[in-house]
Amino acid sequence: MRPGNPWPDAEYLVGLRDDVRVGFDATSVSLATPVSTFAVRLPEGSVRDALTRLADGLVPLDKALSGLGTAERVQFQRLLDRVGRLLVWGVQIGGRELVRIEHTAHDALFEAAYVGPDSLVRLSRFALCRSRSGTLVLESPLAKVRMLLVHGTARALIASLAAATRVGDLAESAGGDLTVQEVGALLGLLAGAGFIEVRSPDEEFADPFEDGGGFQDAFDEQEDPTLRQWDFHDLLFHSRIRSGRFDEPLGGVFLHKGRIPPRPAVKPLPEGPSVDLHRPSLDAITRHDPSLTAALEGRRSFRSYGEQPLNAEQIGEFLYRVGRIRTRFVPSESDEPGSEIVSRPYPTGGSAFELELYLTIQRCAGINPGIYYYDPVGHRLVLVNDDPLDRRAMLEVASAATSREADPDILITMTSRFQRLSWKYSGMAYATTLRHTGVLYQTMYLVATAMGMAPCGLGIGNADMSARVLGLDYLQESSVGDFILGSRPPGDPGIWDREQGWKWVNDPEWAAWAGAELRRT
């Protein structure tokens, strides 16, 4: 129900979180949060009275249990275990409340660790501090609780843990605010929850500033190999976009409904001269297109191109098959806000279709070099930037993403209109736009393969530069993916050569069949 207490100096308070609203009727109590409502059958009586005391604010644990008999105490403690994520625990050390603990996961039990005066401690590299409702909070993707640093002494202590430090030295630097035992008690809570790392005093540490900071100290060297391969932002991102370790709203909760107008499904067109694109015939495509299996098995990434560039007709067909708007639902005034949706050839969550396409063209027969926005309704390109230096800068970033193997004929930059998603989805909007980007990558690969083009998806791009070049607000719309395109080079690269060390597994010869099928069609 609460963390273990290795020191007699720590005392616990308990109450309901500030965002919990309590409702009573004759036989039950409901505890409502912004995310869900928890109802428990609880008739009037001493257990119900004890729960009511928690709704009035933090109280000492002994006081919360006062007036309860043995059986009622067991019942009340079971109730607290069931509603653990709705509770907040205050920790008093030295007569002052220093931190509060909130559960962010249903199974958020942990034991406070023993931290002695000579122990060496350091803040975990996965820990983060942020402001929330006027309070500094400590969180980590490794922790299943959140620490609210409600006292300046706790905040100062956290700020002192960037480098490995002896606990006794921390107590001395606290200026007498806490004894070494009290510092150890607070650090034991932080260590047990996963916010700090603890090492024994006999381990050797390298000077972090020696040789320009090139040495790894004992904390880094002894870190679990699995953790060492996680970047901080990746693990944090993983913990926030899937349920289980985080307690804030997740999913289609429409958090901004009634407060902020939703973004339109169709982006207003930028100003600039336009190029009308070829509209392909469905009959012609179905007569000549290869099968889905041929496109899947024959798909390859190309970083070199043929002498003859792609032409305007091919680009028109490609964009029509990949990104055009097929239908559009425009709601009436009586419909719910945010119900305007469209349909394109690829799927997205909630039919949001927040992704937009920009083409940086270096070489294409029938279309002048420049940077264009693809109008998915009018099926045309709108020139947004004709500066050759900006065009070259965009292509240089794309080339660097291929280790300079490619000098792209055409770069397609995918941008996201983020608020089109975040107006509806909380906690997962950016993750969702990345999923959509992957779906669009595959759609582009399949269509380009079917059309005999040379496609390649890129893993790196410059969102800041592209926002400037494309004339966008970085926070409202900026790049999330890049894809290069050109004409296929002559010759067939063939399938994987066993003499080069390839081990054939599960019918790789399908690719050879697909290559022949693609050439035939």
Side-chain angles (χ1 to χ4, degrees):
M1 183 174 62
R2 61 179 174 85
N5 183 6
W7 293 98
D9 307 273
E11 299 177 354
Y12 292 95
L13 312 173
V14 64
L16 292 174
R17 289 168 55 156
D18 292 339
D19 58 354
V20 176
R21 297 293 176 264
V22 185
F24 299 96
D25 62 26
T27 60
S28 64
V29 177
S30 64
L31 304 175
T33 74
V35 179
S36 62
T37 299
F38 178 87
V40 58
R41 182 174 177 82
L42 192 64
E44 293 184 2
S46 57
V47 175
R48 184 163 170 164
D49 292 341
L51 184 62
T52 303
R53 287 195 290 272
L54 301 188
D56 294 333
L58 269 68
V59 296
L61 183 57
D62 291 342
K63 184 176 180 181
L65 298 173
S66 64
L68 299 179
T70 302
E72 292 168 327
R73 285 192 172 212
V74 171
Q75 180 185 1
F76 185 62
Q77 290 181 346
R78 286 176 178 171
L79 174 62
L80 294 188
D81 289 340
R82 292 178 64 190
V83 301
R85 289 181 69 176
L86 307 182
L87 300 176
V88 58
W89 294 91
V91 182
Q92 286 188 334
I93 296 176
R96 292 160 295 178
E97 185 188 6
L98 298 184
V99 298
R100 294 181 181 178
I101 306 172
E102 294 179 351
H103 292 190
T104 59
H106 288 291
D107 58 343
L109 299 177
F110 70 93
E111 287 294 326
Y114 174 80
V115 178
D118 294 323
S119 297
L120 293 161
V121 293
R122 187 183 70 172
L123 193 67
S124 166
R125 68 182 181 90
F126 293 101
L128 69 104
C129 283
R130 67 182 178 105
S131 174
R132 193 197 69 170
S133 302
T135 302
L136 195 65
V137 301
L138 189 64
E139 296 173 327
S140 168
L142 298 178
K144 295 186 178 182
V145 298
R146 174 188 299 113
M147 294 282 187
L148 285 65
L149 309 177
V150 296
H151 196 282
T153 299
R155 295 190 288 271
L157 183 68
I158 293 299
S160 303
L161 296 176
T165 307
R166 182 177 165 271
V167 173
D169 296 335
L170 287 171
E172 291 178 8
S173 64
D177 284 351
L178 295 174
T179 66
V180 67
Q181 290 82 9
E182 291 168 344
V183 170
L186 179 55
L187 293 175
L189 282 174
L190 295 169
F195 293 111
I196 67 170
E197 301 168 351
V198 183
R199 297 289 184 267
S200 62
D202 57 347
E203 297 177 19
E204 295 183 0
F205 291 84
D207 184 348
F209 299 102
E210 186 178 344
D211 291 343
F215 284 93
Q216 296 286 334
D217 65 22
F219 281 90
D220 295 323
E221 293 168 357
Q222 295 182 15
E223 187 176 36
D224 179 87
T226 299
L227 275 181
R228 290 181 71 173
Q229 296 174 78
W230 273 102
D231 286 332
F232 160 76
H233 61 281
D234 283 337
L235 189 55
L236 177 66
F237 187 56
H238 178 58
S239 71
R240 297 294 174 89
I241 64 171
R242 310 284 291 179
S243 62
R245 289 203 171 194
F246 199 57
D247 60 340
E248 292 189 1
L250 181 68
V253 299
F254 296 91
L255 189 63
H256 306 289
K257 186 176 180 180
R259 303 174 183 177
I260 302 173
R263 295 295 170 92
V266 178
K267 176 182 174 176
L269 282 178
E271 296 182 359
S274 62
V275 178
D276 290 330
L277 293 171
H278 166 71
R279 293 171 180 263
S281 160
L282 179 61
D283 287 341
I285 289 175
T286 54
R287 280 198 307 269
H288 301 295
D289 244 16
S291 67
L292 173 62
T293 300
L296 277 170
E297 293 293 329
R299 179 217 54 80
R300 294 174 190 162
S301 294
F302 291 83
R303 296 174 179 83
S304 60
Y305 310 107
E307 284 189 21
Q308 294 298 320
L310 296 176
N311 58 50
E313 181 174 326
Q314 290 172 296
I315 293 302
E317 178 182 334
F318 176 81
L319 291 173
Y320 201 78
R321 298 176 66 174
V322 164
R324 79 186 189 280
I325 287 179
R326 302 183 295 191
T327 60
R328 180 180 182 184
F329 175 76
V330 180
S332 65
E333 292 184 0
S334 61
D335 287 321
E336 282 285 317
S339 56
E340 179 189 8
I341 59 174
V342 297
S343 171
R344 299 195 190 199
Y346 61 92
T348 67
S351 295
F353 291 103
E354 79 289 357
L355 299 179
E356 304 290 346
L357 302 180
Y358 293 80
L359 278 70
T360 301
I361 295 180
Q362 174 174 229
R363 197 174 69 125
C364 179
I367 302 178
N368 292 329
I371 302 175
Y372 299 85
Y373 168 71
Y374 173 59
D375 171 11
V377 174
H379 188 54
R380 56 182 174 166
L381 296 178
V382 180
L383 184 67
V384 295
N385 190 330
D386 60 358
D387 186 332
L389 294 179
D390 284 343
R391 184 169 69 247
R392 189 65 247 165
M394 293 284 284
L395 296 170
E396 280 292 322
V397 172
S399 177
T402 68
S403 300
R404 302 291 177 185
E405 289 185 48
D407 183 15
D409 282 355
I410 298 172
L411 165 66
I412 302 176
T413 301
M414 306 170 197
T415 66
S416 174
R417 293 189 293 133
F418 303 112
Q419 285 73 33
R420 175 74 182 150
L421 281 175
S422 60
W423 186 84
K424 175 181 178 179
Y425 296 109
S426 292
M428 55 175 283
Y430 191 74
T432 300
T433 209
L434 295 183
R435 295 179 181 115
H436 294 167
T437 303
V439 169
L440 186 50
Y441 268 46
Q442 176 72 332
T443 304
M444 287 183 168
Y445 262 119
L446 292 178
V447 172
T449 300
M451 292 181 62
M453 296 177 169
C456 183
L458 304 182
I460 299 174
N462 188 325
D464 192 64
M465 184 192 71
S466 64
R468 177 189 64 78
V469 169
L470 302 176
L472 305 174
D473 183 326
Y474 181 89
L475 297 178
Q476 294 187 28
E477 180 184 349
S478 55
S479 65
V480 291
D482 302 272
F483 198 91
I484 56 177
L485 205 59
S487 60
R488 283 214 180 194
D492 190 298
I495 58 176
W496 304 276
D497 189 344
R498 295 192 191 198
E499 294 182 359
Q500 295 179 351
W502 290 99
K503 182 179 180 181
W504 286 19
V505 181
N506 293 327
D507 302 319
E509 61 271 19
W510 288 16
W513 166 85
E517 184 71 8
L518 291 170
R519 288 192 298 274
R520 184 184 66 80
T521 56

